Amino acid sequence: MHIPSIAIWEGCDPTVSAAIMRFQDRWRPSSGDKHSVRLIEELVDPAVSAYTAVLPQRYLNYVPGIATGAGFGKIVQLVGLDATARQQRRLLMAFTSTEDRRSAMDERFVATLESLIGLVGACVRKRPTKAKVRDTRLNRRRVEGFCRCCGALAELPAFSEGSDSPKADDPEDKLRLIPRGAGSDSRLRFPRG
């Protein structure tokens, strides 16, 4: 199975980028969430702690767990990979919206947070080597993601995770996937406009 690549932003703190590269080297296709969280705590947490130790206080509110004294890895362990990625994205958006002009320290901070978001996002996207997708033969290795507009889980990943919502009560109003061989018309159906 292909391991998702972790993008390290140009300008990222060198300590954090080196930790992310070590994480990438030790990450395996069979790594589950527990193994990924353990690697984050072991390799990335010390680098994030060292980086945030030299930051002024105003930056610390934008890194999950640092202001409260918990490490980045501890927050990932407590709330999960998915929630951490969403939370970090919101905090970064709040930081960038409050700054009129960015200093070199601000640019490094943004690049470092984007790299951490990429790390957690890669952990979310990575799937086990063998996985059955409900009762169909969907390609489980396809990159799964979120809607760019609203941030909600896209329909295909939601379906593959087992969600039946929204229910397709009215076939004319919903886009549905119909497995091949199920009925005479095995194409995608689009809503009429």
Side-chain angles (χ1 to χ4, degrees):
M1 173 179 189
H2 172 69
I3 298 175
S5 177
I6 302 171
I8 299 174
W9 282 53
E10 185 178 336
C12 177
D13 179 67
T15 309
V16 174
S17 64
I20 292 173
M21 285 188 270
R22 283 193 311 273
F23 177 90
Q24 178 82 28
D25 291 341
R26 292 189 47 194
W27 210 31
R28 298 183 312 270
S30 60
S31 300
D33 285 352
K34 288 182 181 181
H35 184 257
S36 298
V37 170
R38 186 180 59 75
L39 281 177
I40 289 172
E41 288 179 325
E42 179 183 322
L43 302 172
V44 180
D45 244 354
V48 172
S49 297
Y51 173 64
T52 56
V54 299
L55 289 175
Q57 181 64 36
R58 70 181 184 96
Y59 291 97
L60 300 183
N61 294 327
Y62 299 102
V63 182
I66 298 299
T68 61
F72 184 73
K74 186 67 171 173
I75 295 299
V76 171
Q77 181 183 14
L78 290 173
V79 300
L81 293 163
D82 212 14
T84 302
R86 285 194 308 269
Q87 177 189 21
Q88 185 59 64
R89 178 65 57 201
R90 280 190 222 112
L91 289 172
L92 182 60
M93 286 172 41
F95 175 78
T96 56
S97 67
T98 60
E99 298 297 319
D100 295 348
R101 296 182 215 160
R102 291 195 193 150
S103 66
M105 184 178 277
D106 292 346
E107 292 294 332
R108 174 165 282 186
F109 183 71
V110 169
T112 302
L113 290 186
E114 286 285 3
S115 298
L116 290 173
I117 291 169
L119 166 75
V120 175
C123 291
V124 169
R125 286 191 314 269
K126 191 172 114 184
R127 297 291 176 225
T129 52
K130 295 180 182 178
K132 185 175 180 180
V133 180
R134 296 183 76 173
D135 59 346
T136 63
R137 293 180 185 239
L138 292 175
N139 183 357
R140 182 67 170 156
R141 290 180 274 172
R142 183 177 312 166
V143 174
E144 299 175 4
F146 297 90
C147 174
R148 285 186 245 169
C149 301
C150 67
L153 191 63
E155 289 179 20
L156 181 60
F159 173 77
S160 68
E161 291 295 325
S163 172
D164 285 330
S165 63
K167 298 262 187 212
D169 294 333
D170 187 3
E172 300 298 322
D173 290 340
K174 305 288 182 195
L175 173 65
R176 297 187 305 142
L177 293 173
I178 300 175
R180 290 189 184 259
S184 60
D185 186 14
S186 59
R187 293 176 286 159
L188 293 176
R189 295 183 185 155
F190 295 94
R192 292 186 182 169

